[in-house]
Amino acid sequence: MSRFEDDLRTALRRKEPPPGFAERALARAAVERETLLERLLGLFRFPAVRWVCAAALLLMLLLGVRYQQARRARQEGEEARAKVLYALQVTGSKLQLVQQKLRQLEAERETQDSAEEDPATSGRKIL
Amino acid sequence: MRRVLFVMALVAFAAHAQDIKFPASFDKLAAKAEEVVDVTVDPAMLQIAGKFLAAQEEKEPKAAKAKDVVSGLKGIYVKSLKFAKEGEYSRADVDEIRSQLSGPGWARLVTVRDKTDDVGVYLKKEGEKVVGMAVVAAEPKELTVVNIVGPIDLEHLVALGGQFGVPNLPNLPAGQKPPAQTEKK
């Protein structure tokens, strides 16, 4: 076994932490957390920061209301558009029915007229 | 009390806005119908729809044409009742509507009557201007009444030909001609 491997083993050997290490580490983390929160809250001591935060909140609120209004308007618009198009469609289908009937009648009249004009047919009619 | 007056005023306004007054018998018929279509597009809704159709003008050419038709309109009212079997409504029900369309201002554009169907298109005129239109279609299992209130540009309606089920109507602007009535027994 080489000396390098011995050194490595010695260096990587598990060492037990000194007594009370975990408690000390946790206590220190808690202190640091507190400090961060305190630091953040401390920012509110400055009136400018308070105003900026209030303005941002108000802006967010207004944007939210505006978004909701726009969404509702869009929804109403889509509904109105769909209603109008549907109404036009019903109207259209009924106008189509009229046109279809008129064409039918026109075709029947033309057939009748041609039958009257045709001597062979008219002869048959008389008979 | 104020609320009651407000509601009464609204009802009066709605009744005024609509050219045709649907008789009470329609509600009874609706109860018998298999399918009921009741579309009411009031002026406010038409305005909103017009804006939306205008917004889609570039994407959808037919939206532009529909916008042209609805611009200036005051209302579109559609009532259509579909029945499961024939004979659910009487001629008197249809006549109640038709009698309103023979009143002053109304002119019959065309009516087609055969063994099965009885369909009529009526125009409301103020001078030479068309300010309303009504379609009454009485089919064996279906009764439809359409009332378009407001100035209708028939050229725009013709431009809708082939779209939304509107047929190509080369003769409609010539509706200024004497109205036609065709009957086939």
Side-chain angles (χ1 to χ4, degrees):
Chain A
M1 204 173 287
S2 69
R3 194 178 162 190
F4 172 72
E5 283 175 333
D6 285 340
D7 288 346
L8 199 62
R9 183 168 292 123
T10 314
L12 295 176
R13 187 174 291 148
R14 185 183 163 83
K15 279 183 188 169
E16 284 304 317
F21 174 79
E23 289 78 14
R24 281 203 305 278
L26 285 171
R28 189 165 176 184
V31 168
E32 270 176 15
R33 237 191 341 252
E34 238 172 61
T35 317
L36 190 66
L37 189 69
E38 272 172 6
R39 244 185 261 162
L40 275 173
L41 285 174
L43 285 175
F44 283 93
R45 279 182 309 218
F46 304 106
V49 174
R50 283 204 295 265
W51 280 111
V52 166
C53 282
L57 273 172
L58 193 68
L59 188 70
M60 275 165 65
L61 194 74
L62 286 175
L63 283 175
V65 170
R66 184 89 188 105
Y67 173 77
Q68 280 297 326
Q69 279 176 343
R71 207 174 68 135
R72 201 174 305 146
R74 199 168 52 236
Q75 208 173 340
E76 279 173 7
E78 286 294 339
E79 273 173 28
R81 177 184 167 274
K83 264 189 171 185
V84 166
L85 294 185
Y86 185 67
L88 285 177
Q89 207 158 7
V90 175
T91 312
S93 72
K94 296 306 156 195
L95 290 176
Q96 205 159 32
L97 182 69
V98 174
Q99 194 190 38
Q100 190 189 322
K101 296 272 169 196
L102 285 173
R103 275 195 189 144
Q104 262 176 16
L105 289 170
E106 207 174 323
E108 279 173 26
R109 266 183 204 161
E110 272 172 20
T111 319
Q112 269 181 1
D113 289 347
S114 62
E116 277 166 18
E117 280 168 18
D118 187 358
T121 324
S122 52
R124 228 181 281 142
K125 243 185 166 181
I126 295 162
L127 282 170
Chain B
M1 185 63 188
R2 266 186 197 174
R3 193 174 284 180
V4 173
L5 283 173
F6 178 70
V7 170
M8 279 168 72
L10 267 181
V11 169
F13 175 74
H16 176 74
Q18 205 167 321
D19 282 335
I20 300 174
K21 200 179 163 196
F22 289 97
S25 60
F26 251 70
D27 294 334
K28 285 176 193 163
L29 290 175
K32 282 198 275 180
E34 196 177 45
E35 196 185 311
V36 179
V37 173
D38 193 347
V39 184
T40 299
V41 187
D42 56 23
M45 209 179 270
L46 270 171
Q47 209 177 352
I48 298 170
K51 277 182 199 165
F52 264 72
L53 289 167
Q56 287 172 338
E57 212 168 345
E58 282 174 18
K59 287 185 209 160
E60 262 186 288
K62 70 176 184 180
K65 288 178 181 173
K67 188 206 84 184
D68 290 339
V69 172
V70 301
S71 64
L73 289 186
K74 289 173 187 164
I76 306 177
Y77 307 90
V78 177
K79 263 193 204 283
S80 182
L81 309 174
K82 277 185 191 168
F83 303 99
K85 54 184 197 289
E86 294 180 18
E88 289 285 349
Y89 65 89
S90 67
R91 203 182 170 108
D93 296 318
V94 187
D95 286 344
E96 227 172 316
I97 295 282
R98 279 227 183 87
S99 63
Q100 296 178 50
L101 300 170
S102 58
W106 284 101
R108 190 180 56 232
L109 180 64
V110 62
T111 56
V112 185
R113 192 176 293 165
D114 61 15
K115 278 177 191 168
T116 55
D117 305 327
D118 188 350
V119 195
V121 182
Y122 305 81
L123 296 180
K124 192 176 188 184
K125 285 180 167 186
E126 269 175 20
E128 281 305 299
K129 210 174 148 195
V130 178
V131 292
M133 182 182 167
V135 181
V136 181
E139 295 162 82
K141 291 184 186 177
E142 195 177 331
L143 179 60
T144 307
V145 180
V146 178
N147 182 202
I148 299 176
V149 184
I152 301 165
D153 192 330
L154 293 176
E155 276 179 28
H156 283 150
L157 194 64
V158 170
L160 271 184
Q163 291 163 65
F164 310 112
V166 177
N168 292 311
L169 299 160
N171 292 328
L172 249 187
Q176 316 295 341
K177 289 177 188 171
Q181 182 170 25
T182 316
E183 203 163 321
K184 183 188 160 196
K185 303 264 171 165

